[in-house]
Amino acid sequence: MKIGILGAGQLGRMLALAGYPLGFEFTFLDPATEACAAPLGEHLHAGYLDEAALQEFCGGIDLATYEFENVPQRTAELVAARVPLLPGPQALTAGQDRLGEKQLFVDLGIPVPRFAAVDSRAGLETAAARTGLPAVLKTRRMGYDGKGQYVLRSVADFDAAWAQLGNQPLILEAFVPFEREVSCLAVRARDGAVRFYPLVENVHRSGILRTARPRAADPLQALGEDYARRVLQRLDYVGVLAFEFFVHGGGLLANEIAPRVHNSGHWSIEGAECSQFENHLRAIAGLPLGSTALRGESVMVNFIGQAPALESVAALEGVHVHLYGKEPKPQRKIGHATVTAPDAATLERRLAALQVLLVEEC
Ligand code: AMP
């Protein structure tokens, strides 16, 4: 089976790495000159709205998927008219606009932080009256890794926030003093079968994910699964979906969904029976889903901006390195490592040994 992937970044690369053992082949479409999945398949180096390139892309594949949620709607329509596009275009629509996403959660009875749309400078005052302060002003579209966000602590911050973000549709959200951040990674097959990975505890700094650790028997597992299942069913979803939550007051508040494999699921390559990447491919290819059970303790650590020397990190027991072949740049995810261990105490020791080698940026 030949699978087309819109986007050829590290998620496309890891999808391909998971797909080759199953006998799949891959074609990527990505305008980037530095497309790190390109060595793993055919790479059509073209824009997402280049209709001739999209025709060529679709002509050589059995089905298509994507590795980023900002695929233009027109691209999704053009692809979906020719080959199955999974998850479907409705999943992209749901994940692209933070306001629509929040409204979807509200419709489904999933709790969210207080929020309000902001379309003008005056609207910012009205929205803040609804959310209270502190609050986070975010672009409705295209934000990632904390980009396009401004934390408002008092009215004195409004002008600066507006100067930075005010030329586009925005949303204001109450700042949640969360106890933890967790994500629920779910996968739904073409026949509607659903599996969930254990909830993952995520640590962000400056809006960027630093570590992700699956927790066996998290007390919020059933609630996370319930909320994720509602979204999967509403969107008639096929593939892996990541649902990020704030843990607050012992319950879950929905932050956002990503209609794709996700950074908080990378540990599953070594830490689960079947990784998020393989399960995404199984789901879209119409195969039975693989087990989401843990294979022991694990934690993923992102390499941001710089990776530790390979000779040093490769010498550590239970540390599995993934370098994406990307040029190091400040704030850029250029790889990760998953630390595995048979028990929690050994995991902590191995993680500490890795952290000594990390060159940390803020
Ligand atoms: P996002 O791109 O919305 O996932 O935001 C990136 C990170 O910023 C989150 O994972 C949180 O650590 C932080 N953040 C975003 N929104 C809020 C909020 N409303 N309250 C507190 N922290 C937030």
Side-chain angles (χ1 to χ4, degrees), residues 23 50 58 81 117 135 194 206 235 305 321 327 358:
D50 179 334
C58 294
V194 177
S206 308
L235 298 177
V321 181
E327 199 57 45
L358 290 182

Side-chain angles (χ1 to χ4, degrees), residues 244-255:
E244 294 187 74
F245 297 99
F246 302 120
V247 177
H248 181 57
L252 295 174
L253 291 177
N255 179 22

Side-chain angles (χ1 to χ4, degrees), residues 190-201:
R190 282 187 174 200
D191 67 3
V194 177
R195 294 200 188 208
F196 301 93
Y197 288 90
L199 283 197
V200 187
E201 208 169 276

Side-chain angles (χ1 to χ4, degrees), residues 161-305:
W162 188 255
Q164 191 169 312
L165 301 175
N167 56 349
Q168 59 210 307
L170 300 169
I171 180 172
L172 188 67
E173 295 175 14
F175 185 91
V176 180
F178 53 79
E179 293 127 43
R180 296 187 289 147
E181 286 189 90
V182 296
S183 53
C184 181
L185 288 142
V187 56
R188 186 167 180 270
R190 282 187 174 200
D191 67 3
V194 177
R195 294 200 188 208
F196 301 93
Y197 288 90
L199 283 197
V200 187
E201 208 169 276
N202 300 316
V203 176
H204 294 83
R205 211 165 43 256
S206 308
I208 305 177
L209 183 68
R210 306 293 160 151
T211 62
R213 181 169 182 176
R215 295 287 186 185
D218 192 298
L220 293 167
Q221 182 74 31
L223 193 59
E225 290 187 10
D226 174 20
Y227 293 160
R229 193 187 297 273
R230 295 183 204 185
V231 173
L232 292 172
Q233 285 174 349
R234 169 65 68 90
L235 298 177
D236 193 17
Y237 196 91
V238 177
V240 165
L241 174 98
F243 200 158
E244 294 187 74
F245 297 99
F246 302 120
V247 177
H248 181 57
L252 295 174
L253 291 177
N255 179 22
E256 61 179 355
I257 51 170
R260 55 171 170 79
V261 287
H262 192 255
N263 195 177
S264 68
H266 291 2
W267 58 270
S268 64
I269 297 174
E270 292 87 8
E273 287 294 334
C274 182
S275 76
Q276 64 162 348
F277 300 101
E278 182 175 335
N279 254 335
H280 183 75
L281 296 172
R282 284 177 177 234
I284 64 176
L287 293 170
L289 300 179
S291 166
T292 50
L294 297 181
R295 286 202 257 168
E297 296 283 341
S298 64
V299 58
M300 184 231 50
V301 180
N302 269 336
F303 298 154
I304 313 285

